[in-house]
Amino acid sequence: MRHIPGRPRRRLLALLGSAALALGGAVALPGTAQAANILTNPGFESGGLSPWTCTGDLGSVVSSPVHGGSKALQGAVSSSDNAQCTQTVAVQPNTTYRLSGWVRGSYVYLGVNGGNSTWTTSTSAYSQLSVSFTTGASQTSAALYVHGWYGQGTYYADDISLDGPGGGDGGDTQAPTAPGGLASTGKSSSSVSLKWNAATDNVGVTAYDVYSGSNQVLSASGTTATVSGLAPSTSYTFSVKARDAAGNSSAASNSVTVTTDAGTGGGTGFQQAAPYLYEGWGDPPNPSTVMSATGIKWFTMAFVLDSGGCTPAWDGSRPLTGGADQSAINQIRSAGGDVVPSFGGWQGSKLGANCSSASALAGALQKVIDAYSLKAIDMDIENTDEFENEAVQAKILTALKTVKANNPGLRTIVTFGTSTTGPTYYGNRLIEQAQSLNSGIDVFTIMPFDFGGGSDMYGSTVGAAEGLKAKLKSTFGWDDATAYSHIGISGMNGLSDQQENTTPAIWTQIRDWANSHHIARLAFWAANRDRPCAGGGVVSNCSGISQNNWQFTSITAGFTG
């Protein structure tokens, strides 16, 4: 949450409004579905979940309370998992469907992946939710879900219905044969390339789902795929399943285990110790002076915004090149350092919100990458226009996936707010979408300040980071070490707007914890404030506490990852 200190801040747990996402690309007027429930096991009367699948194994079938029949779904929500249960069905392109269901509990959601959703606040008895969506011009499957809200307790769902025509052959229950010959064709420190032999099906194979362990990591239309966003020197076991238009999945292929190459440390030029420097605010210091005094080599440069028409500019008004920002970057590079531009922030006209599509956003990001031959970019995703908008989250993640593919070696960072126990609803949603879209995000950076940290900023920061680690593990199937290696912490030196006080001693504790757990990134807001002014309050050019000049930057320079 980067903004001029003293302005209104983001609430910690936003109570929500559904994000209406358009299932895109239709070029003809949509048809209206005939009323027929095409879901399998819609009331869970089979006594089992299949073909529903639930995250974290948190879904089960219970006998009470029920809405109809004798069974219902129970979702045991935790603080780090919303117990989302999903069923994928075959649908017809360019057709309007109506999804409905009966739910009970606090903040229960019903929706379609990549499309519309609806929710209810808190009900002690069953209430009905319904939402309509229109499939795209070439869409042949849809994943329907129901889930609760993090930390809000168990929910129940029953008698879920998707009204409309089934896709493909409505009577097709025959699964494809299992793909064979799965093998690795190449690897790096962060990716593995795979190939396999085609499967067969009585109607036709429409997709191949690639799994890392038990977690689906991507889908491919052909018989090759590259899984990215992996950790160096880490063993992964992959398998592939074939899927047809009716949603039937094959048995798994043979498995193949691949260990990614060792990381090259600074070989990519990406240094994770990078405090923010803002040329448009807070009496910006001379970066050469700060570097000489502290040993810091990298800065996160704030902020690239939209100057109109999806056009990047510093603060949305200063020129992308040729101004104060380029002058600062030139100084940093002349002193042997480099920069990570940050896109977005708390306020202003943002590219993520304003660019019309993921491809347009990727084009805007590429202009900045080309202008400065960048090795890394940071997307600071905040506020209701980006962080609390699931469609914009998906747009940003898709754009990052595009630029990462087009710029080998580019590191991508997403930065977002947190609670003291880990990601909030929208933070969890961001992580889940990153996994679903196979965005290959290198670092998920939380901002542990203005988050109710109170008097124990060290303990609250560690609690938030551990909560993020748990979410990354459950979403991506990573072990502890791999999850830590994808974590970043971006604090606020001195006083925050909530009067949380991160002192140099506390920041040193946080840095030492970060080093001992080998996380990926350490930053703070901001070098502009890394000056003493005890009793000065929350201002832009000093920390509001007693400290030495550039003391937080010196501490950060000791981060080794």
Side-chain angles (χ1 to χ4, degrees), residues 191-559:
S191 66
V192 171
S193 296
L194 302 168
K195 71 172 183 178
W196 56 89
N197 298 328
T200 60
D201 184 66
N202 62 315
V203 176
V205 174
T206 58
Y208 293 92
D209 297 324
V210 179
Y211 289 79
S212 174
S214 61
N215 296 286
Q216 183 182 336
V217 292
L218 59 84
S219 293
S221 57
T223 56
T224 62
T226 296
V227 183
S228 59
L230 306 178
S233 303
T234 302
S235 178
Y236 295 88
T237 299
F238 299 100
S239 61
V240 178
K241 296 180 181 180
R243 178 161 41 87
D244 63 20
N248 301 308
S249 290
S250 74
S253 69
N254 61 293
S255 61
V256 59
T257 299
V258 184
T259 299
T260 50
D261 294 338
T264 54
T268 63
F270 179 54
Q271 175 69 35
Q272 294 97 338
Y276 280 77
L277 176 64
Y278 194 0
E279 288 300 309
W281 170 88
D283 188 16
N286 182 295
S288 298
T289 299
V290 178
M291 293 173 74
S292 177
T294 65
I296 200 74
K297 291 297 184 182
W298 284 66
F299 291 94
T300 305
M301 298 292 293
F303 283 106
V304 180
L305 297 173
D306 182 18
S307 64
C310 192
T311 302
W314 295 104
D315 256 0
S317 58
R318 299 191 304 279
L320 182 61
T321 58
D325 301 270
Q326 180 164 17
S327 177
I329 292 169
N330 290 345
Q331 286 187 53
I332 292 166
R333 287 179 166 172
S334 294
D338 214 333
V339 299
V340 182
S342 183
F343 296 77
W346 176 253
Q347 60 194 9
S349 182
K350 304 171 194 174
L351 292 162
N354 292 346
C355 293
S356 60
S357 65
S359 60
L361 176 57
L365 301 180
Q366 191 66 50
K367 290 178 182 178
V368 186
I369 294 167
D370 292 342
Y372 291 104
S373 301
L374 297 174
K375 301 178 181 70
I377 58 174
D378 169 48
M379 296 296 295
D380 194 334
I381 306 172
E382 303 190 45
N383 218 323
T384 56
D385 55 348
E386 288 190 334
F387 187 57
E388 296 172 17
N389 185 318
E390 294 180 5
V392 174
Q393 281 192 6
K395 186 198 308 182
I396 290 171
L397 293 167
T398 302
L400 289 173
K401 179 179 180 179
T402 299
V403 297
K404 191 174 180 71
N406 293 337
N407 299 272
L410 181 75
R411 301 295 185 94
T412 53
I413 304 160
V414 292
T415 299
F416 52 97
T418 184
S419 77
T420 57
T421 58
T424 63
Y425 168 81
Y426 284 106
N428 282 309
R429 178 64 173 156
L430 181 73
I431 293 165
E432 291 163 3
Q433 289 209 80
Q435 189 276 335
S436 177
L437 295 168
N438 192 34
S439 298
I441 301 301
D442 292 291
V443 186
F444 296 86
T445 300
I446 51 170
M447 295 184 286
F449 59 89
D450 287 340
F451 71 142
S455 60
D456 184 11
M457 285 299 284
Y458 169 73
S460 295
T461 297
V462 169
E466 290 288 358
L468 173 60
K469 180 209 71 173
K471 181 60 181 178
L472 294 177
K473 285 181 64 179
S474 65
T475 301
F476 292 96
W478 293 335
D479 59 19
D480 281 357
T482 305
Y484 282 127
S485 74
H486 286 78
I487 286 175
I489 292 173
S490 183
M492 186 171 180
N493 58 309
L495 294 179
S496 73
D497 289 280
Q498 290 185 1
Q499 298 297 301
E500 300 155 330
N501 187 2
T502 300
T503 65
I506 291 172
W507 189 240
T508 300
Q509 284 183 290
I510 292 170
R511 182 207 62 192
D512 292 346
W513 181 91
N515 282 338
S516 67
H517 289 77
H518 307 297
I519 74 169
R521 173 173 165 82
L522 188 67
F524 70 88
W525 180 253
N528 304 61
R529 303 179 66 248
D530 197 9
R531 294 174 274 216
C533 60
V538 184
V539 292
S540 62
N541 61 355
C542 59
S543 64
I545 64 172
S546 177
Q547 64 158 95
N548 298 326
N549 281 334
W550 324 128
Q551 189 170 1
F552 285 86
T553 304
S554 295
I555 295 166
T556 305
F559 173 70

Side-chain angles (χ1 to χ4, degrees), residues 92-166:
Q92 294 186 9
N94 199 38
T95 301
T96 298
Y97 288 79
R98 181 177 179 272
L99 175 65
S100 64
W102 293 85
V103 300
R104 173 174 171 169
S106 295
Y107 299 99
V108 187
Y109 286 75
L110 183 71
V112 56
N113 281 354
N116 295 349
S117 64
T118 185
W119 59 283
T120 184
T121 52
S122 180
T123 58
S124 57
Y126 276 98
S127 63
Q128 188 176 34
L129 295 175
S130 64
V131 63
S132 296
F133 65 94
T134 301
T135 53
S138 59
Q139 185 176 353
T140 57
S141 67
L144 297 315
Y145 64 80
V146 59
H147 66 70
W149 189 27
Y150 303 91
Q152 293 299 304
T154 298
Y155 74 86
Y156 301 90
D158 200 0
D159 298 327
I160 303 174
S161 176
L162 180 64
D163 291 334

